[in-house]
Amino acid sequence: QVQLVESGGGLVQTGGSLRLSCAASGNVLSNDIMGWYRQAPGKQRELIARITSGGTAYVVDSVEERFTISRDNRKNMVYLQMDGLKPEDTAVYYCFSRRLTTATYSWGQGTQVTVSS
């Protein structure tokens, strides 16, 4: 079991920036894929970004010019730098890890990001 704890959410004005952090503990393997989903009110949870232990990153088209994902394998941390935030980025952001061998997901509790217009 992997435990994930997010931090860094909050209220920001349009055009502002936030940096989300996620700390992984427990049965963490170095080659777990880590990343972020988000869920806006009334919408399904959607993938935002993921990154391998080797640093290969994928960010969805809708935010790739504004969001950057990174990770620190030594600290078991993954980050999401969000710039140029828009009201439509308002959502609960969830950190996840995925075990390569079993495709098992672990989830954090989520952190709220609210962007005011």
Side-chain angles (χ1 to χ4, degrees), residues 25-26 29 47 59 67 71 79 93 112:
S25 62
L29 296 183
L47 174 68
V59 181
F67 291 9
R71 69 188 282 175
Y79 308 96
Y93 285 71
Q112 177 70 48

Side-chain angles (χ1 to χ4, degrees), residues 36-38 46-50 58-60 63 67 80 93:
W36 297 89
Y37 274 71
R38 72 182 180 188
E46 61 173 345
L47 174 68
I48 295 300
R50 61 174 181 256
Y58 166 76
V59 181
V60 297
V63 301
F67 291 9
L80 185 68
Y93 285 71

Side-chain angles (χ1 to χ4, degrees), residues 6-33:
E6 303 100 332
S7 60
L11 174 64
V12 65
Q13 292 185 333
T14 296
S17 297
L18 285 174
R19 187 190 192 212
L20 305 184
S21 299
C22 175
S25 62
N27 185 25
V28 179
L29 296 183
S30 60
N31 62 351
D32 288 344
I33 292 174

Side-chain angles (χ1 to χ4, degrees), residues 1-7 21-29 32-36 71 75-78 94-99 104-110:
Q1 188 77 10
V2 176
Q3 289 79 46
L4 301 167
V5 179
E6 303 100 332
S7 60
S21 299
C22 175
S25 62
N27 185 25
V28 179
L29 296 183
D32 288 344
I33 292 174
M34 299 186 73
W36 297 89
R71 69 188 282 175
K75 296 181 179 180
N76 290 331
M77 297 287 294
V78 64
Y94 296 91
C95 175
F96 76 91
S97 69
R98 180 166 67 89
R99 186 63 42 90
T104 302
Y105 280 78
S106 297
W107 296 93
Q109 81 286 354

Side-chain angles (χ1 to χ4, degrees), residues 41-91:
K43 295 187 177 181
Q44 290 188 331
R45 192 175 294 192
E46 61 173 345
L47 174 68
I48 295 300
R50 61 174 181 256
I51 187 168
T52 69
S53 59
T56 300
Y58 166 76
V59 181
V60 297
D61 290 347
S62 58
V63 301
E64 68 173 345
E65 293 186 0
R66 301 183 292 119
F67 291 9
T68 304
I69 188 170
S70 61
R71 69 188 282 175
D72 184 332
N73 293 328
R74 289 183 299 175
K75 296 181 179 180
N76 290 331
M77 297 287 294
V78 64
Y79 308 96
L80 185 68
Q81 177 67 40
M82 305 186 294
D83 300 315
L85 284 162
K86 304 176 181 180
E88 52 263 43
D89 295 318
T90 295

